[in-house]
Amino acid sequence: MKIVKDIFGNYLIVAPAVAWLAAQIIKVFTGMFDKRKFSLRTLLFSNGGMPSSHSAAVCALATGCVIKFGFSSFECAMSGIFAMIVMIDASGVRYETGEQAKVINKIAREIFSGRPEDINTGLKELVGHTPFQVLMGAALGILIGILMSFAML
């Protein structure tokens, strides 16, 4: 039981987890607004969408490191660099992968339009984020990191 207490008592584990969960919950509602349907799958497994849960988690971690260890700490430097890499990847490489998947899926639908049994479910198109989605995820993560510091530190 000590390990469970240690994990749930560690602000630098709990804050990113709460930020990720909050972003995933918000995605359900932004997805409902956009697609007009509720999806539990979105809550549990979605990549892409508004806001970025990856950005929320890494920014909560980086914020927690700043609060706990200060700007000049090794932990702050590592978490800050990690956050930048994750957010650049989310809005860069992964976003472009999704855009390419849209084009490939469209081509496949046109080629196999007469024979729907010949086309599979297609490539996943929502794998990355727009810069705005990353920014909103980062803002959510920073906010949760600050709020959680009052509750746990």
Side-chain angles (χ1 to χ4, degrees):
M1 283 317 220
K2 181 180 178 335
I3 191 166
V4 173
K5 183 180 176 188
D6 289 345
I7 290 171
F8 286 101
N10 186 337
Y11 165 73
L12 297 176
I13 294 174
V14 174
V18 168
W20 175 85
L21 183 61
Q24 289 298 107
I25 290 169
I26 292 168
K27 275 186 200 184
V28 170
F29 294 104
T30 59
M32 282 173 48
F33 178 74
D34 187 38
K35 296 179 181 143
R36 305 269 191 249
K37 77 175 197 177
F38 175 80
S39 172
L40 189 58
R41 183 182 181 113
T42 299
L43 175 64
L44 300 174
F45 304 111
S46 76
N47 289 322
M50 171 72 169
S52 166
S53 54
H54 292 88
S55 297
V58 295
C59 285
L61 175 63
T63 300
C65 287
V66 168
I67 291 169
K68 190 166 184 170
F69 303 111
F71 278 106
S72 63
S73 68
F74 170 80
E75 294 84 356
C76 176
M78 289 299 295
S79 62
I81 291 168
F82 177 59
M84 285 190 307
I85 291 168
V86 167
M87 291 187 294
I88 289 168
D89 180 65
S91 65
V93 175
R94 288 192 313 121
Y95 180 76
E96 287 301 320
T97 300
E99 293 299 302
Q100 292 170 2
K102 288 177 188 176
V103 172
I104 292 169
N105 286 340
K106 182 178 179 185
I107 292 168
R109 280 191 301 276
E110 288 175 9
I111 290 173
F112 297 111
S113 63
R115 303 179 316 251
E117 68 278 359
D118 290 341
I119 187 168
N120 62 13
T121 58
L123 299 172
K124 187 174 181 183
E125 296 178 3
L126 191 59
V127 293
H129 297 281
T130 64
F132 182 71
Q133 293 168 339
V134 170
L135 180 65
M136 291 297 101
L140 178 65
I142 291 167
L143 177 66
I144 289 175
I146 292 168
L147 294 175
M148 293 286 302
S149 73
F150 291 119
M152 296 189 74
L153 294 179

